[in-house]
Amino acid sequence: MLKNAAGQVLVDPVGFLRLHWSGPFRTLADTQAMFTTAAQALNERGWSRILVNQVYMLPFTPQEQLWISQEWLPTAVRHSGYRAGAVVVATNVITRLATAFITSSAPELPLRYRSFDLETLAIQWLLTQPI
């Protein structure tokens, strides 16, 4: 679907999106493209689930955190049907903290997040969530 410096967005045929974050050289525009593509794909397919693999990702910048938590996340939940996110966490502690800030920034949204060390466990949980 999309591949850029931030990573790639893929469609899993069993009914969820995969966001695979990659190396350290990304811009805010790269990050925005990843998330915007994901929201559009959820909306087009009528899906609600995303598997986010952050194993190799560096932390979100403050600018990325703000855009994701204040703009993308509320819009994705309200207009694209995003309801469940399984996050395969990075080994980098700062990346984990940056992600935790985002996932806890909008408790009023009907969204469930779980963090996992293994992708297989993340997928198992994600498949128990409504499509």
Side-chain angles (χ1 to χ4, degrees):
M1 284 196 89
L2 171 83
K3 185 173 184 176
N4 68 21
Q8 57 184 326
V9 179
L10 303 167
V11 173
D12 192 296
V14 299
F16 61 87
L17 296 180
R18 292 175 175 261
L19 271 65
H20 283 269
W21 293 90
S22 57
F25 303 107
R26 68 173 187 262
T27 65
L28 176 60
D30 293 328
T31 298
Q32 289 172 328
M34 290 265 298
F35 281 112
T36 300
T37 298
Q40 290 169 343
L42 288 176
N43 194 35
E44 290 168 4
R45 288 169 174 74
W47 292 352
S48 64
R49 307 176 298 188
I50 299 177
L51 173 69
V52 182
N53 188 319
Q54 297 181 340
V55 171
Y56 301 109
M57 187 181 94
L58 289 182
F60 287 119
T61 66
Q63 195 176 21
E64 288 172 320
Q65 285 179 314
L66 186 63
W67 181 82
I68 296 165
S69 64
Q70 299 299 309
E71 294 184 38
W72 183 81
L73 194 56
T75 300
V77 170
R78 291 186 181 110
H79 301 290
S80 297
Y82 185 34
R83 295 290 181 270
V87 181
V88 182
V89 295
T91 54
N92 181 316
V93 174
I94 304 301
T95 301
R96 287 180 183 219
L97 292 173
T99 299
F101 169 81
I102 292 168
T103 58
S104 65
S105 66
E108 73 281 356
L109 294 174
L111 179 62
R112 293 165 59 170
Y113 272 109
R114 291 256 333 250
S115 296
F116 300 88
D117 290 321
L118 298 173
E119 187 172 276
T120 54
L121 297 176
I123 292 170
Q124 285 175 2
W125 176 81
L126 198 59
L127 292 175
T128 67
Q129 304 306 302
I131 198 163

